[in-house]
Amino acid sequence: MQCGTVVKLHGTQGEIIVRADDGFTIDFLDRHFVHIEIDRAPVPFEVEMFRPKSEMESIIKMKLVPSQDYARRLLGSKVFVDRSEAQLNSYADDADDDMAVGLLVGYEASDVDEGILGKIIRIDNMNGVNPLFVIEREDGRELLIPITEELINSIDQEQQTIEFCLPEGLTTLDE
């Protein structure tokens, strides 16, 4: 699953700076392997060193990336982690401690009263303060639901479903 992008070079020994995508924390990059997209295919790289740089960026040194010239080829590339290896980290301090919202992309969403809402297609954090689940409805319209623990009734990781308990009228705001 995509969790970040290579945004800068760091130093002269092939280190890169990776910015976490919306819905992910830099903790997702703290692992033994990351996959970086090269020629539209994810290529695995063994992580030699990981160091947080800021809340959304980390410095990574990978084995077999010996120089700044080689690392330069990776600029702008997407960074992936294997979903089965992904640690389930919090998106925010008030989020469910056992689940990262970025892992919910692809989950089937439903509401306690309304039933099936659609699939979560992405996390939108356009204003940097209030992240939203973007759910694609059966008719192709998008439904936006604030990411807040109070609206989530349950999450089933095995079935890849999330059930909300939404306030009346939230699903019909655009009608």
Side-chain angles (χ1 to χ4, degrees), residues 1-2 21-24 83 101-110 117-125 132-145 147 160 162 164:
M1 104 189 81
Q2 182 179 337
D21 289 345
D22 288 343
F24 290 93
R83 185 182 287 266
V101 294
L103 291 178
L104 298 175
V105 172
Y107 276 40
E108 185 79 32
S110 64
L117 299 172
K119 279 213 183 277
I120 298 174
I121 57 172
R122 70 179 181 279
I123 305 299
D124 193 335
N125 195 13
L132 303 165
F133 288 113
V134 179
I135 297 171
E136 185 174 37
R137 310 284 311 245
E138 190 175 287
D139 61 7
R141 292 180 301 138
E142 290 183 351
L143 173 64
L144 303 176
I145 297 178
I147 297 176
Q160 293 196 346
I162 180 170
F164 294 98

Side-chain angles (χ1 to χ4, degrees), residues 45-101:
F45 285 89
E46 187 174 355
V47 175
E48 190 175 295
M49 183 274 298
F50 167 86
R51 186 173 72 234
K53 180 179 185 298
S54 69
E55 190 174 306
M56 294 303 290
E57 293 182 342
S58 60
I59 300 168
I60 298 177
K61 170 69 175 129
M62 298 170 297
K63 291 185 178 178
L64 303 179
V65 179
S67 68
Q68 190 176 26
D69 287 336
Y70 189 93
R72 186 172 282 112
R73 299 179 204 169
L74 304 176
L75 282 172
S77 296
K78 297 173 185 171
V79 178
F80 300 86
V81 292
D82 186 346
R83 185 182 287 266
S84 65
E85 294 176 8
Q87 295 172 320
L88 302 176
N89 296 303
S90 295
Y91 176 81
D93 293 338
D94 61 349
D96 180 353
D97 288 338
D98 297 322
M99 178 61 71
V101 294

Side-chain angles (χ1 to χ4, degrees), residues 160-173:
Q160 293 196 346
T161 60
I162 180 170
E163 183 180 61
F164 294 98
C165 186
L166 300 174
E168 187 175 327
L170 183 67
T171 60
T172 58
L173 286 175

